[in-house]
Amino acid sequence: MEPRNRFDRSIQQDSSPVDDDLPGAGPEPHPASILIVEDEGIVAQDLKEALTRLGYRITGVASEGAQAVSMAAQLRPELVVMDVSLRGEIDGIQAARMMQEHAHVPVIFLTGHRDAETLQRAVMTGPLGYLIKPFQEDELRCAIEVAIHKHRAELQVREREEELRRSAELLQNLSLIDELTQLRNRRGFFELAQQALKVAQREHYAMGVFFMDLNGLKRINDTLGHQAGDQALRDTAEVLRDTFRSSDILARIGGDEFVAMAHVHSTQDLHALAGRLREHLQIFNQTHRRPYPLNISVGMTLVDIPTEEDLESLLARADAAMYEEKRAVSNRA
């Protein structure tokens, strides 16, 4: 155990009165909240009185490491002033390490130890201050102010980094989204679908690839204008969202072309999805008054696992199947 020394209070804080009416005098800043961790009652009381004189707010006093960790999580102080050597199974260094795992609360260590081993253990926890007993009150105040300032600066840096990360993530998402339909664009589809194909190959389950074409888009643009054409594309996206599951990958890959990759078990599932798409198209045309009928051609292919085909080949196969359907409809007409 370290020697228990009450710190030297020979230098006191200047207690001269402050005239609040002086020009430029603003409201005092909110006092920093501090948790004291000290298992010697007299020393803890001295610390509490000194910190109160220095203008800080004491949120609590803990005498054991486990208690300190719990109080730090509950009270969320701006700073912990903690003795290194605490009675019990958890000393101050271990308690500081546990605090850092749950919250980034800054710690100032107080110790009578001067040996290199204790110092090295303490430094590894990343404290923002380390005072050797006995110390003077102004040394304590300086250590606290430096620690709080450094901690707030670190918080600002982390907030800026988080904001930059969110901005980068937003830009990344925007680069993967089709602005008109809010489906994935071609790049977004390939990034997700290639990963889904790898997972399917690893987990040995089948996938279905669909290639879909909005029929008559050029005619809608030529006769009704591009605003109507844009609405037809948004309508198509709405019908596709209603047809496929949220876990399926939907995209508009350009012009009037849409693709989807869905988790299926058999060719029967492919035809069931295509049938559901036609039902939803019929319902949409009946319930929405548009100057055009929404009509979509569908080609599909089952991805048997394992497969050596890449995503481009699978899309080409589904595209060929779609044009076969177009020719069959044209011949029947």
Side-chain angles (χ1 to χ4, degrees):
M1 296 292 292
E2 68 178 76
R4 299 292 171 176
N5 298 314
R6 300 172 72 177
F7 61 89
D8 186 353
R9 291 182 288 150
S10 59
I11 299 181
Q12 300 290 341
Q13 184 185 28
D14 184 6
S15 58
S16 302
V18 177
D19 188 353
D20 292 335
D21 296 329
L22 287 175
E28 292 186 3
H30 184 74
S33 59
I34 296 178
L35 172 65
I36 297 172
V37 185
E38 170 62 64
D39 60 359
E40 286 288 345
I42 297 177
V43 178
Q45 184 62 32
D46 280 352
L47 269 174
K48 184 176 180 180
E49 293 174 0
L51 292 172
T52 301
R53 283 194 303 272
L54 292 171
Y56 301 110
R57 181 169 56 91
I58 308 304
T59 60
V61 178
S63 59
E64 295 181 355
Q67 180 190 22
V69 174
S70 176
M71 291 179 69
Q74 180 182 0
L75 301 175
R76 296 188 176 278
E78 293 182 66
L79 181 74
V80 177
V81 176
M82 181 154 54
D83 193 1
V84 168
S85 296
L86 298 173
R87 297 189 183 95
E89 298 181 357
I90 300 175
D91 66 8
I93 296 174
Q94 292 169 306
R97 186 177 298 113
M98 294 172 67
M99 288 177 186
Q100 298 307 314
E101 291 175 357
H102 298 90
H104 293 285
V105 56
V107 175
I108 290 179
F109 282 130
L110 309 179
T111 182
H113 287 295
R114 299 173 183 270
D115 60 283
E117 182 181 354
T118 301
L119 177 61
Q120 181 63 25
R121 285 185 62 224
V123 168
M124 293 299 292
T125 65
L128 295 185
Y130 193 94
L131 288 175
I132 303 293
K133 299 177 182 179
F135 49 83
Q136 297 178 351
E137 202 166 283
D138 62 336
E139 293 175 327
L140 177 63
R141 179 182 57 194
C142 289
I144 290 174
E145 290 302 315
V146 169
I148 291 175
H149 177 78
K150 184 177 179 182
H151 180 62
R152 288 173 178 170
E154 289 175 350
L155 285 179
Q156 290 176 352
V157 170
R158 279 201 295 269
E159 287 173 359
R160 286 196 296 269
E161 289 176 346
E162 178 62 20
E163 185 176 347
L164 288 172
R165 186 195 64 79
R166 287 196 299 266
S167 298
E169 190 176 81
L170 177 60
L171 289 174
Q172 172 71 3
N173 286 335
L174 289 175
S175 71
L176 303 177
I177 297 295
D178 175 56
E179 183 178 358
L180 179 64
T181 64
Q182 294 303 299
L183 298 178
R184 295 280 174 175
N185 58 21
R186 184 181 183 87
R187 177 185 171 189
F189 176 78
F190 271 82
E191 285 198 8
L192 288 180
Q194 285 171 342
Q195 291 299 319
L197 191 59
K198 291 178 182 178
V199 172
Q201 291 171 335
R202 185 172 65 246
E203 303 295 333
H204 301 286
Y205 58 78
M207 300 290 288
V209 174
F210 294 78
F211 202 106
M212 295 157 287
D213 195 51
L214 171 59
N215 296 322
L217 178 61
K218 184 178 184 304
R219 184 173 65 252
I220 294 172
N221 284 329
D222 291 344
T223 59
L224 300 173
H226 285 278
Q227 286 186 345
D230 289 348
Q231 184 59 56
L233 290 168
R234 287 192 289 267
D235 291 342
T236 301
E238 179 183 340
V239 171
L240 294 178
R241 286 193 191 93
D242 290 341
T243 300
F244 290 90
R245 297 179 296 256
S246 59
S247 57
D248 297 331
I249 305 170
L250 274 172
R252 176 188 174 215
I253 60 172
D256 55 4
E257 296 176 336
F258 296 81
V259 293
M261 176 176 277
H263 186 186
V264 298
H265 297 288
S266 63
T267 304
Q268 184 178 359
D269 289 345
L270 289 179
H271 290 288
L273 269 172
R276 188 163 67 189
L277 173 57
R278 294 187 181 95
E279 289 175 4
H280 289 171
L281 276 172
Q282 185 178 4
I283 294 171
F284 182 90
N285 287 326
Q286 290 172 350
T287 56
H288 291 72
R289 294 186 176 181
R290 297 284 192 259
Y292 50 81
L294 203 62
N295 187 11
I296 301 174
S297 294
V298 182
M300 53 199 173
T301 185
L302 182 69
V303 184
D304 290 317
I305 303 298
T307 180
E308 298 298 326
E309 288 185 278
D310 60 17
L311 191 54
E312 289 278 10
S313 299
L314 294 169
L315 285 174
R317 185 140 55 94
D319 187 18
M322 183 198 69
Y323 277 100
E324 285 294 330
E325 179 186 271
K326 279 181 177 285
R327 279 194 290 269
V329 171
S330 177
N331 291 335
R332 285 197 297 272

